[in-house]
Amino acid sequence: MPKGVIKRRPRTRAALLEAALAVFAAHGFRAASIEQICERAGFTRGAFYSNFSSKEELFLALFDAHSERVIARIGTLVDSVDAAQLDLAALVHLLSDVEPAERDWYLVTTEFTLHAIRDPQAAWVLAQHDARLRAELARCLTGHLARAGRTLTVDAEELARLLVAIREGGLAQSYVEPDQLPPGHLERRFLTPLLTALTVPIADPSPTNPMAAGD
């Protein structure tokens, strides 16, 4: 493959992903056509098929990119807080943040989930991507809680499932009733007591009694 094509491929792929998100959000996953995506991105069908085999593969690439971006963004926000100031309330405030652009992604991922519920093969593939996201969420949540001086008393991946359910269920209500329930409100209201109940303080590894060190 010519070097020029190799250099252009990441830009082409990025443009197709950006166009697909907009087209899926505007028309729905099932109604959106590959031609509409290509037209918005300014590429031919050939460019599409040199990067993706189907709309499903394109959505899953969007899913992975969105997951990585959200996790990285939260990590950056957590890292920006001084360790002495990072308690559960501060951590929950960061976890509850919802970007305005999240609405488009919510529309796209909700419709694809409905598609997957009807299609066993799509469900199986989506479940694999969901599982990788949960594992990464669990790993990051465990680390963020440790920075806040807490450790979980429940399985981290099961808690990740619950947090995703709260986020997605809350957003569904927020986008229907934005004036009554701003995005992130339920998390800000209830996650601190929930995480308090499901964690314990990390024990200080250094003995407070010098004599205890020799016991």
Side-chain angles (χ1 to χ4, degrees), residues 172-189:
Q173 298 177 65
S174 294
Y175 293 140
V176 171
E177 301 179 273
D179 295 333
Q180 298 297 318
L181 187 71
H185 174 79
L186 292 179
E187 293 97 318
R188 287 189 292 272
R189 176 71 177 83

Side-chain angles (χ1 to χ4, degrees), residues 8 20 63 75 89 139 152 169 194 198:
R8 289 195 302 272
F63 181 97
R139 184 189 69 80
L152 286 169
L194 176 64
L198 299 180

Side-chain angles (χ1 to χ4, degrees), residues 7-8 37 64 106 108 125 130 144 146 167 169 177 180 184 192:
K7 290 181 178 180
R8 289 195 302 272
I37 295 169
D64 291 341
Y106 182 83
V108 174
V125 175
D130 277 335
H144 297 333
R167 168 58 66 95
E177 301 179 273
Q180 298 297 318
T192 298

Side-chain angles (χ1 to χ4, degrees), residues 8-212:
R8 289 195 302 272
R9 173 161 286 182
R11 295 195 296 272
T12 302
R13 185 180 177 87
L16 287 168
L17 288 170
E18 182 179 354
L21 179 59
V23 172
F24 288 160
H27 302 286
F29 174 79
R30 293 181 65 84
S33 68
I34 291 174
E35 288 77 9
Q36 287 173 314
I37 295 169
C38 291
E39 181 179 357
R40 186 176 182 95
F43 293 110
T44 64
R45 286 175 63 91
F48 179 92
Y49 284 112
S50 69
N51 286 275
F52 304 103
S53 63
S54 64
K55 285 197 303 181
E56 286 81 2
E57 183 180 330
L58 175 57
F59 167 81
L60 293 169
L62 277 171
F63 181 97
D64 291 341
H66 178 267
S67 300
E68 292 170 6
R69 187 178 66 81
V70 169
I71 288 175
R73 179 172 176 270
I74 292 175
T76 299
L77 290 173
V78 173
D79 289 343
S80 70
V81 178
D82 186 88
Q85 305 298 320
L86 188 66
D87 57 10
L88 275 184
L91 179 59
V92 164
H93 177 74
L94 300 177
L95 294 175
S96 304
D97 184 64
V98 179
E99 295 181 290
E102 190 69 10
R103 183 179 182 277
D104 281 353
W105 174 248
Y106 182 83
L107 292 172
V108 174
T109 190
T110 298
E111 186 176 2
F112 189 87
T113 299
L114 294 175
H115 164 69
I117 291 171
R118 297 185 182 99
D119 184 326
Q121 177 60 28
W124 183 87
V125 175
L126 180 58
Q128 311 311 305
H129 289 258
D130 277 335
R132 288 197 291 271
L133 172 58
R134 276 197 310 276
E136 185 63 13
L137 283 173
R139 184 189 69 80
C140 293
L141 180 61
T142 300
H144 297 333
L145 285 168
R147 284 200 63 205
R150 310 286 295 188
T151 187
L152 286 169
T153 59
V154 296
D155 181 78
E157 289 201 28
E158 284 193 330
L159 179 58
R161 280 188 183 272
L162 177 60
L163 295 181
V164 169
I166 292 171
R167 168 58 66 95
E168 293 182 352
L171 287 178
Q173 298 177 65
S174 294
Y175 293 140
V176 171
E177 301 179 273
D179 295 333
Q180 298 297 318
L181 187 71
H185 174 79
L186 292 179
E187 293 97 318
R188 287 189 292 272
R189 176 71 177 83
F190 294 107
L191 280 193
T192 298
L194 176 64
L195 291 177
T196 299
L198 299 180
T199 63
V200 294
I202 295 176
D204 186 349
S206 59
T208 56
N209 183 347
M211 297 300 293

